[in-house]
């Protein structure tokens, strides 16, 4: 039965919030010289052209889609499609100027390496979480955004959350049905003999 819950209670057990916070926190540790923060959704290229909302080099973490996968037994999983937007500009490393696309390649490959690592892609969470699927990185900019001096790339993947949060993703205990003979006596279903 669904119980009433306050916003504070829902935030505390919201699997998507917990997951995105964990991704952001882990990326901050693994990319110490890059700004990492959450972004509310997809990056709209027209917004980028009109105003500067990102300060490169930066990784912006977002969920671009999430959906419910449920069964008739009341158990369910949350399928999430996260994105890490990679925003770069020409960068000086040591005494050498490095083109923005090379910085973007290096940062996006770093995210891909995390997704390919058995511990990395768990994001420090101690819960049921699948390995990433459909992992890819690609450019995400136009000649207009490139002319503004930044390069925009995106790394996307899919992950399934099984038991993340207080209880919403936990599978309920389901008792095994009892098999009875014609007299109503319990039967051991392994060999059909009475118990």
């Amino acid at each position: 039965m669904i119980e009433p819950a306050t916003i504070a209670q829902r935030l505390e057990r919201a699997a998507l919030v917990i997951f995105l916070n964990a991704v952001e926190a882990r990326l901050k540790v693994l990319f110490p010289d890059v700004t990492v923060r959450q972004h509310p959704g997809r990056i709209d290229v027209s917004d980028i052209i009109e105003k500067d909302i990102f300060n490169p080099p930066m990784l912006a973490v977002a969920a671009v889609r999430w959906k419910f996968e449920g069964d008739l037994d009341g158990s369910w999983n949350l399928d999430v499609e996260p994105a890490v937007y990679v925003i770069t500009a020409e960068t000086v490393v040591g005494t050498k100027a490095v083109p923005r696309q090379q910085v973007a390649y290096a940062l996006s490959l770093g995210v891909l390496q995390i997704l390919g690592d058995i511990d990395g892609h768990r994001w420090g969470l101690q819960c049921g979480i699948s390995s990433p699927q459909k992992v890819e990185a690609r450019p995400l900019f136009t000649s207009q955004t490139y002319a503004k001096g930044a390069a925009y790339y995106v790394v996307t993947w899919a992950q399934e959350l099984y038991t993340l949060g207080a209880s919403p993703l936990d599978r309920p205990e389901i008792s095994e049905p009892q098999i009875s003979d014609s007299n109503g006596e319990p039967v051991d279903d392994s060999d059909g003999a009475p118990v």
Side-chain angles (χ1 to χ4, degrees):
M1 170 119 187
I2 302 295
E3 298 290 333
T6 65
I7 293 173
Q9 291 168 325
R10 292 182 189 280
L11 281 170
E12 185 179 321
R13 63 184 184 223
L16 189 58
V17 173
I18 295 166
F19 174 74
L20 291 174
N21 287 344
V23 174
E24 178 188 19
R26 192 74 182 127
L27 291 177
K28 282 181 176 178
V29 170
L30 296 173
F31 292 86
D33 58 348
V34 175
T35 301
V36 178
R37 69 173 170 85
Q38 289 188 46
H39 184 70
R42 293 186 189 275
I43 287 182
D44 189 308
V45 175
S46 63
D47 286 343
I48 297 167
I49 294 167
E50 290 178 17
K51 56 185 180 276
D52 292 321
I53 56 174
F54 299 105
N55 190 16
M58 181 176 188
L59 300 177
V61 179
V64 295
R65 186 175 154 193
W66 52 99
K67 65 180 182 173
F68 167 89
E69 288 291 331
D71 295 320
L72 293 177
D73 66 3
S75 63
W76 62 282
N77 302 322
L78 187 67
D79 285 350
V80 181
E81 290 182 23
V84 173
Y85 295 100
V86 180
I87 302 98
T88 63
E90 188 168 308
T91 304
V92 176
V93 178
T95 58
K96 181 181 174 188
V98 181
R100 57 193 131 169
Q101 70 272 14
Q102 289 183 14
V103 177
Y105 297 155
L107 294 180
S108 62
L109 284 172
V111 175
L112 292 178
Q113 287 175 323
I114 296 165
L115 293 170
D117 180 80
I118 190 72
D119 294 320
H121 68 240
R122 294 188 57 78
W123 310 108
L125 296 168
Q126 302 300 315
C127 61
I129 185 169
S130 73
S131 294
Q133 302 292 320
K134 303 180 209 169
V135 179
E136 70 173 13
R138 63 185 180 279
L140 183 72
F141 57 85
T142 64
S143 57
Q144 288 175 297
T145 58
Y146 197 79
K148 291 190 79 160
Y152 294 82
Y153 289 73
V154 63
V155 178
T156 58
W157 70 97
Q159 256 182 308
E160 199 168 8
L161 311 179
Y162 304 121
T163 55
L164 187 53
S167 63
L169 298 177
D170 292 340
R171 291 186 179 271
E173 291 294 324
I174 299 173
S175 59
E176 291 293 323
Q178 291 292 322
I179 300 173
S180 304
D181 63 14
S182 59
N183 296 327
E185 297 295 318
V187 173
D188 179 357
D189 64 346
S190 61
D191 62 5
V195 177

